[in-house]
Amino acid sequence: MTAEPADRTDDTALRRFNRTAEIATTDVIRTYSTSFGLATRLLGRRHRQHVRNIYAMVRIADEIVDGVAAEAGLDSTAQTAALASYIEETHRSMRTGYSSDLILHAFARTARECGIGEDLTGPFFASMSADLADDADFTAYDADAHADYVYGSAEVVGLMCLQVFLRGADRTDEELRTLRRGARQLGAAFQNVNFLRDLADDTDRLHRGYLGGSARLTDADRDAWVATVFRQLADAEAAIPLLPKDSRAAVRSALALFAALTRRVAKTPVEVLYRRRVRVPDPIKAVLAGRAVIVTTWERDR
């Protein structure tokens, strides 16, 4: 009887670990976001798991700074240490291609395959760190701080996903500029409308003022932010035809969902936004996803 080569056994073990890591990231998106979960199901098979891996990595970091660590009993110093440890392990796993943390192992594989570097993860973690940096009772973001925070927390995530979509694709420099602007604008739009619908939680539980600094928003402020979000969505929509076809339906679906959410926010008095979260019903999400698939089906490929 001939013994199997050792490298084949090791490869089988690694493949099993990789699959387990992907199951973990898929469970994260399924648990935390029905909207993005639906959108990722519309992605082509070659993109789907990579985007889930990105989402899971950023979701866990966000949870560290948004209350999970605090509810577990960690004080501010321990929360900062937990985030620092997560950052260090993320970047170590990106360099080596391995982590004992299943979420970070999956993300590292995506980062290495798709060319996601610390030029993108660094700004993301800077924004996450900003949420823990101030021990004051209320953290107010002025215009410059808001722009920096949104770039790190959302725009670079759009750029990470773009790295996934464009791997192996050939685009001109002008097309790449349009695509990168679209990815950043879509991320910014998502973040800004989420700030609007999360006014109650951000203000009362997290004690943060992402949109109005220390001042309470008025209906006029809400209208100005809604107009900003719609401009950002328009920029993002203009870039969609330049994406590979097997990524467009998902991006269209997510864009349409957040446009619908923005319209609902626009009709909600700001004092109501300070009391409850606005959402889009699941049947409407399904209709928007279906429309995105139909539109994309009839487009030409790239």
Side-chain angles (χ1 to χ4, degrees):
M1 182 187 223
T2 304
E4 287 189 338
D7 59 347
R8 181 175 174 183
T9 302
D10 292 342
D11 182 57
T12 300
L14 180 59
R15 285 203 307 269
R16 187 180 302 116
F17 191 80
N18 291 343
R19 288 196 302 272
T20 304
E22 291 176 352
I23 290 169
T25 59
T26 300
D27 282 344
V28 169
I29 196 168
R30 183 183 296 123
T31 299
Y32 278 99
S33 179
T34 57
S35 301
F36 284 113
L38 174 61
T40 58
R41 289 198 292 273
L42 302 182
L43 285 169
R45 193 175 185 85
R46 66 193 180 113
H47 304 310
R48 193 177 305 140
Q49 192 61 54
H50 286 306
V51 171
R52 288 170 176 166
N53 296 346
I54 292 169
Y55 177 89
M57 186 279 285
V58 302
R59 180 78 257 174
I60 298 304
D62 198 50
E63 290 303 307
I64 293 172
V65 303
D66 278 357
V68 170
E71 288 182 25
L74 277 66
D75 62 18
S76 59
T77 300
Q79 290 172 48
T80 300
L83 180 62
S85 176
Y86 190 78
I87 294 169
E88 181 181 1
E89 179 60 15
T90 300
H91 289 156
R92 191 199 64 77
S93 66
M94 290 166 65
R95 292 190 296 271
T96 65
Y98 169 79
S99 175
S100 57
D101 181 315
L102 289 171
I103 301 301
L104 296 184
H105 180 78
F107 173 74
R109 294 184 67 229
T110 289
R112 289 162 68 87
E113 183 173 333
C114 302
I116 297 169
E118 292 186 29
D119 58 321
L120 296 180
T121 56
F124 170 73
F125 285 126
S127 287
M128 296 299 97
S129 298
D131 281 333
L132 294 178
D134 195 340
D135 289 332
D137 289 340
F138 192 89
T139 304
Y141 286 75
D142 62 18
D144 289 339
H146 170 88
D148 289 343
Y149 184 87
V150 169
Y151 174 72
S153 65
E155 293 179 31
V156 297
V157 179
L159 292 172
M160 290 182 203
C161 292
L162 186 63
Q163 287 292 110
V164 171
F165 301 152
L166 293 185
R167 68 193 191 288
D170 185 22
R171 296 291 184 273
T172 67
D173 289 344
E174 183 178 355
E175 288 173 335
L176 286 173
R177 283 192 294 271
T178 299
L179 284 163
R180 287 170 182 150
R181 175 176 173 78
R184 290 183 59 180
Q185 290 288 80
L186 189 59
F190 289 175
Q191 187 67 292
N192 284 324
V193 73
N194 275 331
F195 287 153
L196 284 169
R197 74 165 175 174
D198 289 338
L199 278 176
D201 192 53
D202 288 343
T203 303
D204 298 335
R205 183 176 68 87
L206 298 176
H207 308 295
R208 300 171 191 160
Y210 291 110
L211 297 179
S214 59
R216 199 169 177 89
L217 294 185
T218 65
D219 285 340
D221 295 326
R222 176 211 56 203
D223 291 344
W225 280 111
V226 164
T228 295
V229 169
F230 277 127
R231 286 194 299 270
Q232 292 167 334
L233 290 174
D235 283 343
E237 187 171 20
I240 290 177
L242 296 176
L243 290 169
K245 190 172 183 179
D246 59 356
S247 64
R248 289 181 215 159
V251 175
R252 272 201 179 93
S253 175
L255 190 151
L257 169 61
F258 277 87
L261 176 61
T262 305
R263 287 191 290 271
R264 286 173 177 262
V265 167
K267 296 176 181 178
T268 305
V270 74
E271 286 305 316
V272 175
L273 294 175
Y274 275 108
R275 295 197 300 271
R276 64 175 176 84
R277 197 171 193 257
V278 176
R279 66 181 301 275
V280 177
D282 290 343
I284 294 179
K285 293 179 185 179
V287 169
L288 295 173
R291 288 176 182 170
V293 170
I294 291 170
V295 170
T296 304
T297 299
W298 291 100
E299 285 182 323
R300 69 181 182 89
D301 205 346
R302 282 289 310 227

mmCIF file of all heavy atoms in Angstrom, residues 272-297:
data_model
loop_
_atom_site.group_PDB
_atom_site.id
_atom_site.type_symbol
_atom_site.label_atom_id
_atom_site.label_comp_id
_atom_site.label_asym_id
_atom_site.label_seq_id
_atom_site.Cartn_x
_atom_site.Cartn_y
_atom_site.Cartn_z
ATOM 1 N N VAL A 272 -38.898 62.279 14.475
ATOM 2 C CA VAL A 272 -39.234 60.848 14.454
ATOM 3 C C VAL A 272 -37.968 60.020 14.245
ATOM 4 O O VAL A 272 -37.794 58.955 14.851
ATOM 5 C CB VAL A 272 -40.278 60.554 13.362
ATOM 6 C CG1 VAL A 272 -40.536 59.056 13.252
ATOM 7 C CG2 VAL A 272 -41.576 61.295 13.655
ATOM 8 N N LEU A 273 -37.062 60.508 13.405
ATOM 9 C CA LEU A 273 -35.800 59.806 13.188
ATOM 10 C C LEU A 273 -34.993 59.703 14.475
ATOM 11 O O LEU A 273 -34.236 58.753 14.667
ATOM 12 C CB LEU A 273 -34.968 60.519 12.118
ATOM 13 C CG LEU A 273 -35.535 60.519 10.688
ATOM 14 C CD1 LEU A 273 -34.674 61.370 9.775
ATOM 15 C CD2 LEU A 273 -35.646 59.097 10.150
ATOM 16 N N TYR A 274 -35.156 60.679 15.359
ATOM 17 C CA TYR A 274 -34.464 60.638 16.644
ATOM 18 C C TYR A 274 -35.107 59.636 17.612
ATOM 19 O O TYR A 274 -34.568 59.390 18.690
ATOM 20 C CB TYR A 274 -34.431 62.019 17.286
ATOM 21 C CG TYR A 274 -33.280 62.888 16.830
ATOM 22 C CD1 TYR A 274 -33.493 63.987 15.997
ATOM 23 C CD2 TYR A 274 -31.975 62.608 17.230
ATOM 24 C CE1 TYR A 274 -32.437 64.789 15.582
ATOM 25 C CE2 TYR A 274 -30.913 63.399 16.814
ATOM 26 C CZ TYR A 274 -31.146 64.493 15.993
ATOM 27 O OH TYR A 274 -30.093 65.280 15.578
ATOM 28 N N ARG A 275 -36.254 59.058 17.197
ATOM 29 C CA ARG A 275 -36.928 58.094 18.078
ATOM 30 C C ARG A 275 -36.927 56.671 17.541
ATOM 31 O O ARG A 275 -36.950 55.722 18.319
ATOM 32 C CB ARG A 275 -38.388 58.528 18.322
ATOM 33 C CG ARG A 275 -38.540 59.831 19.073
ATOM 34 C CD ARG A 275 -39.953 59.979 19.618
ATOM 35 N NE ARG A 275 -40.968 59.965 18.575
ATOM 36 C CZ ARG A 275 -41.395 61.049 17.945
ATOM 37 N NH1 ARG A 275 -40.883 62.238 18.226
ATOM 38 N NH2 ARG A 275 -42.333 60.955 17.015
ATOM 39 N N ARG A 276 -36.931 56.516 16.213
ATOM 40 C CA ARG A 276 -36.998 55.158 15.666
ATOM 41 C C ARG A 276 -36.272 55.062 14.331
ATOM 42 O O ARG A 276 -36.033 56.063 13.661
ATOM 43 C CB ARG A 276 -38.459 54.735 15.480
ATOM 44 C CG ARG A 276 -39.249 55.539 14.472
ATOM 45 C CD ARG A 276 -40.642 54.953 14.285
ATOM 46 N NE ARG A 276 -41.467 55.754 13.391
ATOM 47 C CZ ARG A 276 -41.434 55.634 12.057
ATOM 48 N NH1 ARG A 276 -40.635 54.759 11.486
ATOM 49 N NH2 ARG A 276 -42.224 56.395 11.305
ATOM 50 N N ARG A 277 -35.955 53.824 13.976
ATOM 51 C CA ARG A 277 -35.199 53.535 12.762
ATOM 52 C C ARG A 277 -36.143 53.266 11.595
ATOM 53 O O ARG A 277 -37.079 52.477 11.718
ATOM 54 C CB ARG A 277 -34.317 52.307 13.009
ATOM 55 C CG ARG A 277 -33.190 52.086 12.028
ATOM 56 C CD ARG A 277 -32.311 50.961 12.566
ATOM 57 N NE ARG A 277 -31.040 50.886 11.854
ATOM 58 C CZ ARG A 277 -30.757 49.973 10.933
ATOM 59 N NH1 ARG A 277 -31.664 49.063 10.597
ATOM 60 N NH2 ARG A 277 -29.574 49.944 10.349
ATOM 61 N N VAL A 278 -35.881 53.892 10.464
ATOM 62 C CA VAL A 278 -36.677 53.686 9.259
ATOM 63 C C VAL A 278 -36.092 52.511 8.480
ATOM 64 O O VAL A 278 -34.875 52.334 8.416
ATOM 65 C CB VAL A 278 -36.666 54.959 8.382
ATOM 66 C CG1 VAL A 278 -37.410 54.717 7.067
ATOM 67 C CG2 VAL A 278 -37.268 56.121 9.135
ATOM 68 N N ARG A 279 -36.947 51.682 7.908
ATOM 69 C CA ARG A 279 -36.468 50.559 7.110
ATOM 70 C C ARG A 279 -37.356 50.354 5.890
ATOM 71 O O ARG A 279 -38.471 50.873 5.825
ATOM 72 C CB ARG A 279 -36.412 49.272 7.944
ATOM 73 C CG ARG A 279 -37.749 48.748 8.391
ATOM 74 C CD ARG A 279 -37.599 47.486 9.239
ATOM 75 N NE ARG A 279 -36.919 46.408 8.528
ATOM 76 C CZ ARG A 279 -37.533 45.551 7.726
ATOM 77 N NH1 ARG A 279 -38.856 45.634 7.514
ATOM 78 N NH2 ARG A 279 -36.865 44.592 7.128
ATOM 79 N N VAL A 280 -36.840 49.592 4.931
ATOM 80 C CA VAL A 280 -37.586 49.220 3.732
ATOM 81 C C VAL A 280 -38.123 47.812 3.941
ATOM 82 O O VAL A 280 -37.357 46.895 4.260
ATOM 83 C CB VAL A 280 -36.686 49.271 2.484
ATOM 84 C CG1 VAL A 280 -37.456 48.803 1.248
ATOM 85 C CG2 VAL A 280 -36.137 50.683 2.277
ATOM 86 N N PRO A 281 -39.431 47.581 3.761
ATOM 87 C CA PRO A 281 -39.999 46.235 3.967
ATOM 88 C C PRO A 281 -39.385 45.200 3.031
ATOM 89 O O PRO A 281 -39.003 45.514 1.892
ATOM 90 C CB PRO A 281 -41.491 46.436 3.655
ATOM 91 C CG PRO A 281 -41.736 47.895 3.874
ATOM 92 C CD PRO A 281 -40.469 48.589 3.459
ATOM 93 N N ASP A 282 -39.292 43.972 3.500
ATOM 94 C CA ASP A 282 -38.673 42.900 2.721
ATOM 95 C C ASP A 282 -39.319 42.680 1.349
ATOM 96 O O ASP A 282 -38.601 42.427 0.369
ATOM 97 C CB ASP A 282 -38.682 41.598 3.522
ATOM 98 C CG ASP A 282 -37.717 41.643 4.700
ATOM 99 O OD1 ASP A 282 -36.825 42.521 4.717
ATOM 100 O OD2 ASP A 282 -37.862 40.805 5.614
ATOM 101 N N PRO A 283 -40.658 42.741 1.208
ATOM 102 C CA PRO A 283 -41.235 42.550 -0.129
ATOM 103 C C PRO A 283 -40.756 43.600 -1.138
ATOM 104 O O PRO A 283 -40.551 43.277 -2.315
ATOM 105 C CB PRO A 283 -42.745 42.669 0.119
ATOM 106 C CG PRO A 283 -42.916 42.268 1.543
ATOM 107 C CD PRO A 283 -41.712 42.810 2.248
ATOM 108 N N ILE A 284 -40.556 44.828 -0.671
ATOM 109 C CA ILE A 284 -40.054 45.871 -1.570
ATOM 110 C C ILE A 284 -38.603 45.588 -1.941
ATOM 111 O O ILE A 284 -38.192 45.775 -3.099
ATOM 112 C CB ILE A 284 -40.208 47.259 -0.927
ATOM 113 C CG1 ILE A 284 -41.693 47.598 -0.778
ATOM 114 C CG2 ILE A 284 -39.489 48.328 -1.758
ATOM 115 C CD1 ILE A 284 -41.961 48.931 -0.125
ATOM 116 N N LYS A 285 -37.820 45.115 -0.978
ATOM 117 C CA LYS A 285 -36.437 44.737 -1.282
ATOM 118 C C LYS A 285 -36.401 43.686 -2.391
ATOM 119 O O LYS A 285 -35.586 43.755 -3.318
ATOM 120 C CB LYS A 285 -35.751 44.190 -0.040
ATOM 121 C CG LYS A 285 -35.519 45.194 1.072
ATOM 122 C CD LYS A 285 -34.861 44.504 2.256
ATOM 123 C CE LYS A 285 -34.710 45.433 3.435
ATOM 124 N NZ LYS A 285 -34.089 44.764 4.603
ATOM 125 N N ALA A 286 -37.297 42.704 -2.312
ATOM 126 C CA ALA A 286 -37.333 41.633 -3.311
ATOM 127 C C ALA A 286 -37.693 42.181 -4.688
ATOM 128 O O ALA A 286 -37.106 41.772 -5.701
ATOM 129 C CB ALA A 286 -38.328 40.564 -2.886
ATOM 130 N N VAL A 287 -38.636 43.106 -4.748
ATOM 131 C CA VAL A 287 -39.024 43.712 -6.025
ATOM 132 C C VAL A 287 -37.854 44.485 -6.628
ATOM 133 O O VAL A 287 -37.565 44.374 -7.829
ATOM 134 C CB VAL A 287 -40.244 44.639 -5.834
ATOM 135 C CG1 VAL A 287 -40.486 45.474 -7.093
ATOM 136 C CG2 VAL A 287 -41.483 43.818 -5.496
ATOM 137 N N LEU A 288 -37.156 45.267 -5.801
ATOM 138 C CA LEU A 288 -36.020 46.047 -6.290
ATOM 139 C C LEU A 288 -34.910 45.138 -6.806
ATOM 140 O O LEU A 288 -34.286 45.429 -7.833
ATOM 141 C CB LEU A 288 -35.497 46.950 -5.173
ATOM 142 C CG LEU A 288 -36.451 48.044 -4.697
ATOM 143 C CD1 LEU A 288 -35.875 48.767 -3.475
ATOM 144 C CD2 LEU A 288 -36.747 49.037 -5.810
ATOM 145 N N ALA A 289 -34.670 44.036 -6.112
ATOM 146 C CA ALA A 289 -33.661 43.086 -6.563
ATOM 147 C C ALA A 289 -34.060 42.467 -7.898
ATOM 148 O O ALA A 289 -33.230 42.313 -8.808
ATOM 149 C CB ALA A 289 -33.461 41.993 -5.508
ATOM 150 N N GLY A 290 -35.336 42.121 -8.034
ATOM 151 C CA GLY A 290 -35.817 41.548 -9.290
ATOM 152 C C GLY A 290 -35.653 42.501 -10.455
ATOM 153 O O GLY A 290 -35.240 42.100 -11.552
ATOM 154 N N ARG A 291 -35.969 43.764 -10.232
ATOM 155 C CA ARG A 291 -35.795 44.771 -11.294
ATOM 156 C C ARG A 291 -34.330 44.897 -11.698
ATOM 157 O O ARG A 291 -34.007 45.026 -12.888
ATOM 158 C CB ARG A 291 -36.319 46.119 -10.816
ATOM 159 C CG ARG A 291 -37.835 46.214 -10.716
ATOM 160 C CD ARG A 291 -38.237 47.554 -10.147
ATOM 161 N NE ARG A 291 -39.686 47.663 -9.999
ATOM 162 C CZ ARG A 291 -40.296 48.652 -9.347
ATOM 163 N NH1 ARG A 291 -39.570 49.610 -8.771
ATOM 164 N NH2 ARG A 291 -41.610 48.677 -9.258
ATOM 165 N N ALA A 292 -33.439 44.875 -10.699
ATOM 166 C CA ALA A 292 -32.015 44.990 -10.993
ATOM 167 C C ALA A 292 -31.540 43.829 -11.869
ATOM 168 O O ALA A 292 -30.746 44.014 -12.796
ATOM 169 C CB ALA A 292 -31.216 45.031 -9.697
ATOM 170 N N VAL A 293 -32.039 42.645 -11.592
ATOM 171 C CA VAL A 293 -31.667 41.468 -12.385
ATOM 172 C C VAL A 293 -32.179 41.605 -13.813
ATOM 173 O O VAL A 293 -31.455 41.326 -14.782
ATOM 174 C CB VAL A 293 -32.223 40.186 -11.737
ATOM 175 C CG1 VAL A 293 -32.058 38.993 -12.675
ATOM 176 C CG2 VAL A 293 -31.525 39.915 -10.408
ATOM 177 N N ILE A 294 -33.412 42.068 -13.969
ATOM 178 C CA ILE A 294 -34.005 42.203 -15.309
ATOM 179 C C ILE A 294 -33.228 43.223 -16.139
ATOM 180 O O ILE A 294 -32.885 42.971 -17.308
ATOM 181 C CB ILE A 294 -35.490 42.609 -15.201
ATOM 182 C CG1 ILE A 294 -36.300 41.448 -14.622
ATOM 183 C CG2 ILE A 294 -36.037 43.020 -16.568
ATOM 184 C CD1 ILE A 294 -37.723 41.813 -14.252
ATOM 185 N N VAL A 295 -32.939 44.377 -15.546
ATOM 186 C CA VAL A 295 -32.193 45.419 -16.277
ATOM 187 C C VAL A 295 -30.835 44.886 -16.700
ATOM 188 O O VAL A 295 -30.404 45.079 -17.853
ATOM 189 C CB VAL A 295 -32.027 46.682 -15.393
ATOM 190 C CG1 VAL A 295 -31.061 47.663 -16.044
ATOM 191 C CG2 VAL A 295 -33.375 47.351 -15.191
ATOM 192 N N THR A 296 -30.152 44.218 -15.803
ATOM 193 C CA THR A 296 -28.814 43.728 -16.099
ATOM 194 C C THR A 296 -28.820 42.628 -17.143
ATOM 195 O O THR A 296 -27.909 42.536 -17.995
ATOM 196 C CB THR A 296 -28.145 43.229 -14.799
ATOM 197 O OG1 THR A 296 -28.137 44.284 -13.838
ATOM 198 C CG2 THR A 296 -26.720 42.778 -15.063
ATOM 199 N N THR A 297 -29.835 41.800 -17.131
ATOM 200 C CA THR A 297 -29.919 40.684 -18.090
ATOM 201 C C THR A 297 -29.876 41.170 -19.539
ATOM 202 O O THR A 297 -29.275 40.523 -20.393
ATOM 203 C CB THR A 297 -31.204 39.878 -17.843
ATOM 204 O OG1 THR A 297 -31.168 39.340 -16.518
ATOM 205 C CG2 THR A 297 -31.345 38.749 -18.861
#
